Amino acid sequence: MSDRLAVLPQYVLPKQALTRLAGAFASARAGGLTTAAIRWFAGRYGVDLSEAANPDPASYASFNEFFTRPLKPGARPLDKADLLCPVDGAISQFGAIEQGRIFQAKGHDYSATALLGGDAELAERFADGTFATIYLSPKDYHRIHMPCEGRLLRMVHVPGELFSVNPLTARGVPGLFARNERVVCVFDGGPVAGPWVLVLVGATIVGSMATVWHGVVNPPRPGVVRSWNYEGQDIRLERGAEMGRFLLGSTVVLLFPKAPLSFNPSWAPGRLVRMGQGMADLA
């Protein structure tokens, strides 16, 4: 069966309704039912609770509390690389942005302008830059951290579809990451990285996405682009600091401007990575 045929049911599924239902359940404080769901989920997906700050499934009042669980201190040491991996997950793709196009999977790419909600001026800054796409599976740690230091400039919530973002769907749905709902976070990395962008991509049953400076960004889902400008404020986050989280899993896309960037030689599509591992160095 071809990948496009395999993902065909996703075009007709009521993805928004399923997402609202999943979000309602995930936020519910249902006592024993919540604990049973957490135990089932941890067993089904192989979640390693031994590294969680609180490894007891019965101690989480809601599924969201469990899903966004913090880790024990020191569980993710930071490498010395200039750019760190911001999440636990699997490398989907990485490499050069070629004439403003970002590689998604064999036969598919999409424009940086589309990914950034139609902001051609911002996209132009990354026309010949570098990107990395990392997929978070259900078992992964779902907090997102800073790959390098940065001063927050802007945040944009872009409405869109809610396709799954697993590797099969990435191969089967054209322009997937520029079609799905997403939160675009724009930073100034100063002399280390210059301007850079971290995009949180939504997916089916991703109840919401949140940042540390704003809280929950979605819902609401008003169906129009929403933007917040922070250039008049001095919001700075250190390298490795938490910047946001997914309430149920998804994907992050990183964009960096043109620079002599050298990716970790061990990186390859499909490789499992952890937050804090060295992602790349600036020559």
Side-chain angles (χ1 to χ4, degrees):
M1 180 184 295
S2 71
D3 294 329
R4 290 196 178 189
L5 186 59
V7 301
L8 188 60
Q10 291 194 46
Y11 284 89
V12 296
L13 280 173
K15 295 182 286 294
Q16 292 278 358
L18 289 172
T19 298
R20 287 193 296 270
L21 182 63
F25 173 78
S27 62
R29 295 172 176 260
L33 180 61
T34 293
T35 300
I38 291 171
R39 292 188 189 279
W40 175 86
F41 185 93
R44 170 66 177 80
Y45 292 103
V47 177
D48 184 5
L49 281 170
S50 68
E51 64 182 11
N54 186 349
D56 179 11
S59 66
Y60 295 99
S62 70
F63 190 85
N64 274 340
E65 285 188 12
F66 155 73
F67 201 79
T68 59
R69 61 196 176 277
L71 301 180
K72 292 176 180 176
R76 295 291 183 273
L78 306 182
D79 283 353
K80 294 182 179 180
D82 291 327
L83 300 177
L84 302 176
C85 182
V87 293
D88 287 5
I91 300 167
S92 177
Q93 299 293 342
F94 67 97
I97 301 170
E98 299 182 352
Q99 297 182 334
R101 307 293 297 182
I102 300 170
F103 182 68
Q104 177 177 298
K106 185 177 180 180
H108 298 306
D109 65 7
Y110 56 93
S111 73
T113 299
L115 177 71
L116 300 175
D119 190 334
E121 183 178 351
L122 177 60
E124 181 61 29
R125 305 177 78 172
F126 304 98
D128 296 303
T130 307
F131 80 97
T133 306
I134 306 170
Y135 165 68
L136 290 75
S137 73
K139 72 176 182 180
D140 288 320
Y141 167 64
H142 275 79
R143 298 193 180 197
I144 307 158
H145 293 252
M146 296 285 284
C148 62
E149 67 177 15
R151 185 170 79 87
L152 180 66
L153 301 179
R154 196 185 337 160
M155 181 175 74
V156 183
H157 174 227
V158 186
E161 298 282 352
L162 289 171
F163 287 100
S164 170
V165 289
N166 61 31
L168 172 65
T169 312
R171 295 192 302 268
V173 176
L176 172 64
F177 304 120
R179 294 176 70 164
N180 271 16
E181 178 183 31
R182 53 210 179 274
V183 175
V184 178
C185 304
V186 184
F187 294 92
D188 177 10
V192 175
W196 60 276
V197 170
L198 192 154
V199 182
L200 290 68
V201 183
T204 310
I205 75 169
V206 175
S208 62
M209 295 175 276
T211 62
V212 297
W213 58 84
H214 180 90
V216 172
V217 179
N218 63 311
R221 290 183 168 96
V224 296
V225 173
R226 295 182 292 154
S227 182
W228 295 262
N229 190 313
Y230 299 99
E231 293 192 38
Q233 303 179 46
D234 191 25
I235 302 176
R236 299 176 185 269
L237 288 91
E238 297 298 320
R239 173 179 176 273
E242 181 185 342
M243 61 77 60
R245 62 187 68 177
F246 288 112
L247 282 75
L248 304 184
S250 195
T251 287
V252 299
V253 181
L254 290 158
L255 304 183
F256 293 98
K258 184 177 181 179
L261 194 65
S262 175
F263 276 101
N264 185 326
S266 70
W267 270 44
R271 180 181 176 87
L272 299 180
V273 290
R274 284 191 161 196
M275 178 267 145
Q277 289 182 338
M279 182 173 71
D281 285 299
L282 295 164

